[in-house]
Amino acid sequence: MALRPIDNALPITPERPKKQAKVSVPVQKKPSEFGVNDENKAPLPPSADASVDYIPSENLKPFQDPESFIQSLIEGLDSKDWVKLCESLNDARRFSLYHSNLLLPILEKVILVVVKAMKNPRSALCKTSIMAASDIFNAFDEKLLDSTDSGAFDQLLLQLLLKASQDKKFVCEEADRSLNAMVKSMAPLPLLQKLRGYVNHGNLRVRAKAAVSISNSVLKMGLEEIKEFGMVTLLQMAADLLNDRLPEAREAARSIVFSLYKAFRENEEEIEEEAWQSFCQTNLPPNHAQSMVKVTLSSRV
């Protein structure tokens, strides 16, 4: 007997397998070590630096047992953990202010660590190192040049000038304070020898910051110190800066000229204006000599 077909029967189709949902797994980037020196990297977010306290010098305390802690300081300065390094730089500041005799044997190492930290793109580490430089200046003054290799101080000076010239305001202001501490604490003659080369630096902001430090150093000098450094040298330096592009450099140059003019008048038995004009004309190109005389004439108007 034949079977009758079932009415309205639908064809059976196989069920398609369901697609699996894609799961995204975040990939953590390996943090760079402190040893990487790249000033062109973008600064890290402010939240990353939130755990660092910027301690004013007056709030730093001496160690209870500094002799037993000096080795820990040396180890901490070698740390690649930036938070640990900030803590060690603050400890170096405490040694500078209260136990400088213990820091003296490793002072050059400390300076080189400070320089390296200034180059780091992490703002907290950079600022802490600049604060350390200020306390070192205040503690060691001109002895800093006698206790370290000349190259270490040169690196420190360059980094401070560069940091004072950048656009990041809170780093720039801290570097300005450190440069002022340097000028205030150190003897002007050896410092001027270090600064004089930067008035011809290719970076106009560095020139301006160097000019300010030079003018502040010259303000501390008496007649004999100015003569020892060289009146003609200062005259030519000021003349170059008077024609600089930045107002900060030109204002510093005018301050140098006033100090030099005052010393010149003390040195000369005759204080006639012709003697100063002759001095400028003898040692400068005509247009520079004229600018120099105008500056001193304006001071008496």
Side-chain angles (χ1 to χ4, degrees), residues 151-162:
F153 180 84
D154 291 342
Q155 292 181 59
L156 177 61
L157 176 57
L158 174 59
Q159 285 306 313
L160 284 174
L161 292 171
L162 288 171

Side-chain angles (χ1 to χ4, degrees), residues 34 77-78 85 89 106-119 129 136 144 148-156 159:
F34 165 67
L77 292 172
D78 289 329
L85 185 57
L89 287 170
I106 61 166
L107 183 57
E108 185 169 336
K109 174 184 174 65
V110 174
I111 294 295
L112 293 176
V113 172
V114 167
V115 169
K116 189 175 182 180
M118 283 188 198
K119 298 178 183 179
S129 65
I136 289 171
L144 185 62
T148 61
D149 180 79
S150 178
F153 180 84
D154 291 342
Q155 292 181 59
L156 177 61
Q159 285 306 313

Side-chain angles (χ1 to χ4, degrees), residues 12-20:
I12 299 174
T13 57
E15 184 178 355
R16 294 182 180 179
K18 295 182 180 180
K19 292 184 178 179
Q20 293 183 351

Side-chain angles (χ1 to χ4, degrees), residues 137-150:
F137 288 136
N138 289 327
F140 292 96
D141 47 67
E142 62 266 19
K143 294 190 293 291
L144 185 62
L145 292 174
D146 301 327
S147 305
T148 61
D149 180 79
S150 178

Side-chain angles (χ1 to χ4, degrees), residues 50-300:
S51 59
V52 173
D53 293 327
Y54 302 120
I55 308 172
S57 299
E58 57 271 19
N59 291 346
L60 293 169
K61 305 298 182 184
F63 290 101
Q64 295 290 337
D65 186 9
E67 290 84 359
S68 63
F69 197 81
I70 193 69
Q71 185 59 40
S72 298
L73 173 65
I74 296 172
E75 294 170 0
L77 292 172
D78 289 329
S79 175
K80 293 179 180 179
D81 181 330
W82 71 272
V83 176
K84 175 64 176 175
L85 185 57
C86 283
E87 293 173 356
S88 297
L89 287 170
N90 281 329
D91 287 338
R93 297 172 62 199
R94 295 168 67 187
F95 270 100
S96 295
L97 295 174
Y98 299 107
H99 321 286
S100 58
N101 59 317
L102 294 175
L103 194 67
L104 189 59
I106 61 166
L107 183 57
E108 185 169 336
K109 174 184 174 65
V110 174
I111 294 295
L112 293 176
V113 172
V114 167
V115 169
K116 189 175 182 180
M118 283 188 198
K119 298 178 183 179
N120 193 278
R122 196 179 291 275
S123 299
L125 188 54
C126 180
K127 179 170 179 175
T128 303
S129 65
I130 295 172
M131 296 173 76
S134 298
D135 288 328
I136 289 171
F137 288 136
N138 289 327
F140 292 96
D141 47 67
E142 62 266 19
K143 294 190 293 291
L144 185 62
L145 292 174
D146 301 327
S147 305
T148 61
D149 180 79
S150 178
F153 180 84
D154 291 342
Q155 292 181 59
L156 177 61
L157 176 57
L158 174 59
Q159 285 306 313
L160 284 174
L161 292 171
L162 288 171
K163 296 307 173 186
S165 304
Q166 67 169 243
D167 295 326
K168 194 176 295 183
K169 185 177 179 182
F170 81 105
V171 172
C172 177
E173 290 176 345
E174 196 63 51
D176 277 334
R177 283 191 284 270
S178 189
L179 288 170
N180 288 334
M182 176 188 69
V183 171
K184 183 179 179 180
S185 63
M186 297 184 69
L189 270 176
L191 185 56
L192 279 180
Q193 296 295 346
K194 296 290 186 180
L195 287 165
R196 62 187 297 182
Y198 291 103
V199 296
N200 298 315
H201 197 276
N203 185 322
L204 71 167
R205 292 186 178 182
V206 169
R207 289 201 304 271
K209 295 299 180 180
V212 171
S213 293
I214 290 170
S215 67
N216 289 336
S217 295
V218 173
L219 284 172
K220 295 172 57 179
M221 298 168 72
L223 172 60
E224 293 305 317
E225 288 179 302
I226 289 179
K227 289 169 67 176
E228 184 177 348
F229 181 77
M231 297 185 76
V232 173
T233 301
L234 269 178
L235 181 77
Q236 294 170 345
M237 188 184 299
D240 289 337
L241 290 169
L242 275 176
N243 295 284
D244 202 273
R245 289 168 55 190
L246 286 184
E248 190 176 14
R250 297 195 297 271
E251 184 61 34
R254 282 190 283 270
S255 174
I256 297 171
V257 174
F258 294 146
S259 297
L260 186 57
Y261 179 66
K262 178 182 177 182
F264 180 84
R265 294 188 61 164
E266 290 179 12
N267 189 54
E268 295 294 319
E269 294 181 1
E270 297 180 1
I271 59 174
E272 296 179 2
E273 192 61 35
E274 289 77 8
W276 170 250
Q277 293 181 15
S278 176
F279 176 66
C280 294
Q281 291 167 356
T282 302
N283 297 289
L284 295 173
N287 58 330
H288 284 188
Q290 186 177 9
S291 299
M292 195 70 64
V293 172
K294 283 183 179 179
V295 169
T296 53
L297 284 175
S298 66
S299 67
R300 298 193 299 277

